[in-house]
Amino acid sequence: MAKINGAVTVNTERCKGCNLCVVACPSGVLDLKKNEVNNRGYHYAYMANPDKCIGCSSCALVCPDACIEVYRVVEK
Amino acid sequence: MELNDIIRPENRVYKRPSLLNEAHMHYCPGCSHGVVHKLVAEVIEEMGLQEVAIGVSPVGCAVFAYNYIDIDWLEAAHGRAPAMATATKRLMPDKLVFTYQGDGDLSAIGTAETIHAANRGENITIIFINNAIYGMTGGQMAPTTLLGQKTATCPYGRRADLNGYPLAISNLLAQLDGTCYVTRQTVYSPAAVRKTKAALKKAFQNSMDGKGCSVVEVVSTCNTGWKLTPVKANEWLQENMFAKYPLGDLKNE
């Protein structure tokens, strides 16, 4: 069976830590950095469980600040 | 697979639309405006209309829309965006002219302009962000505020006997002969975002084809005005807003 590998990059300086991407992710990949903030003082999103990402773009679609880019590779 | 092997330009399936510039949006974290801005930029880019698109920004939170999307913009007086869009489209019929308005702009001070522009069948698109509150001025009651909803100017909840009923203006517009497409969408989930994008595309195509006035209402959140977190605001939206503002096409000709 083909394995789907996904990954996202977050523009951490644009991220406002609204948590919408964390909730939208069906695989529980994303989380907000607990003890780190960006220059504007927001706890930005990051890939807490990168192995689970399937590159479905749900996080990027709901992101109000368009700071998520999505990558996807299907291994045959 | 290693992350470095996945994160390569050839594997990219979703990127930030190039029409959105680098300016930091002033919107609160989790605001629906950001999502709709992104969709407008994406749709214009995909339709190849960036050289002919003219937006009319309102007074309200979206007043700075011209700072974020790299197309031509006009800034209208409060509520007068459809009147300005009418003039623009009539003078330059080959341009894509759209307004981007909130509920305070479109359904309160601009009701007359909105209804008459729609009734005249102007070939413009009206994007209507309905979050049931005045967001920019600090969360006061709007015409679209739901019965029982608490705001700064109705702290015990909106009452029908005192404040009247919430105004579903898209339903009014759908009854006019001048409109060709009236739809109500939302952006709280990935599926809803995709539907809203399709609706915007259809509306812009209608405007370019000269079919009449298209209205895309986006039922949105104002988590700051509603005094909720962005995630809780999305839940509140699903529980309360859709009873008064049900989703779907109200008119599609």
Side-chain angles (χ1 to χ4, degrees), chain A residues 5-7 9 13-14 16 18 20 23 40 42 56-58 60-66 69-73, chain B residues 1 3 6 8 11-16 22-25 27 29-31 34-35 38 190 193-194 230-231 234:
Chain A
N5 298 291
T9 56
E13 282 309 312
R14 292 197 78 89
K16 291 178 184 159
C18 68
L20 291 181
V23 176
R40 291 171 177 242
Y42 294 118
C56 67
S57 306
S58 291
L61 282 168
V62 298
C63 177
D65 293 279
E69 296 205 328
V70 185
Y71 300 83
R72 189 180 215 195
V73 180
Chain B
M1 265 183 116
L3 269 185
I6 305 172
R8 285 184 174 169
N11 299 332
R12 189 161 58 194
V13 288
Y14 193 99
K15 72 174 179 66
R16 182 182 168 80
E22 288 303 307
H24 275 272
M25 288 193 189
Y27 301 118
C31 178
V35 183
K38 181 174 70 178
V193 173
R194 287 198 168 96
V231 175
N234 271 350

Side-chain angles (χ1 to χ4, degrees), chain B residues 176-192:
Chain B
L176 303 175
D177 293 330
T179 53
C180 63
Y181 181 50
V182 182
T183 185
R184 186 180 284 126
Q185 303 292 337
T186 181
V187 289
Y188 71 88
S189 72

Side-chain angles (χ1 to χ4, degrees), chain B residues 6-251:
Chain B
I6 305 172
I7 300 175
R8 285 184 174 169
E10 64 267 26
N11 299 332
R12 189 161 58 194
V13 288
Y14 193 99
K15 72 174 179 66
R16 182 182 168 80
S18 59
L19 283 183
L20 273 188
N21 60 28
E22 288 303 307
H24 275 272
M25 288 193 189
H26 72 286
Y27 301 118
C28 308
C31 178
S32 303
H33 272 305
V35 183
V36 183
H37 278 30
K38 181 174 70 178
L39 292 179
V40 169
E42 273 178 15
V43 169
I44 290 176
E45 195 176 338
E46 282 172 22
M47 295 175 80
L49 297 172
Q50 48 268 53
E51 295 301 320
V52 295
I54 301 175
V56 186
S57 69
V59 171
C61 281
V63 65
F64 295 127
Y66 48 74
N67 282 340
Y68 306 133
I69 307 177
D70 280 338
I71 54 170
D72 289 334
W73 285 92
L74 294 162
E75 165 58 43
H78 202 351
R80 274 64 189 169
M84 210 156 172
T86 299
T88 311
K89 183 72 179 178
R90 287 189 177 194
L91 288 167
M92 291 176 277
D94 54 334
K95 304 281 188 192
L96 168 71
V97 182
F98 69 93
T99 71
Y100 185 107
Q101 301 173 266
D103 50 329
D105 193 75
L106 183 141
S107 70
I109 194 168
T111 315
E113 280 79 3
T114 306
I115 288 180
H116 285 290
N119 193 41
R120 288 192 306 266
E122 302 294 344
N123 294 315
I124 59 173
T125 296
I126 296 175
I127 301 170
F128 169 33
I129 309 295
N130 178 7
N131 56 15
I133 208 164
Y134 279 90
M136 184 181 73
T137 49
Q140 290 84 0
M141 181 174 59
T144 46
T145 298
L146 301 173
L147 287 178
Q149 186 183 343
K150 291 175 181 168
T151 71
T153 43
C154 52
Y156 303 106
R158 181 175 184 159
R159 279 164 48 194
D161 59 336
L162 185 66
N163 313 117
Y165 294 93
L167 177 60
I169 199 157
S170 292
N171 296 55
L172 275 174
L173 297 176
Q175 292 171 16
L176 303 175
D177 293 330
T179 53
C180 63
Y181 181 50
V182 182
T183 185
R184 186 180 284 126
Q185 303 292 337
T186 181
V187 289
Y188 71 88
S189 72
V193 173
R194 287 198 168 96
K195 281 187 187 167
T196 306
K197 186 175 173 182
L200 284 172
K201 203 171 240 179
K202 186 170 174 59
F204 286 168
Q205 193 59 52
N206 285 344
S207 294
M208 293 307 282
D209 294 345
K211 283 187 174 177
C213 185
S214 301
V215 181
V216 180
E217 173 176 348
V218 184
V219 183
S220 303
T221 61
C222 176
N223 53 72
T224 304
W226 295 357
K227 312 275 188 273
L228 297 167
T229 65
V231 175
K232 291 272 179 215
N234 271 350
E235 288 166 10
W236 194 91
L237 172 101
Q238 293 169 64
E239 288 161 12
N240 298 286
M241 294 278 277
F242 297 155
K244 176 66 191 171
Y245 305 112
L247 302 180
D249 289 353
L250 300 164
K251 187 178 193 179

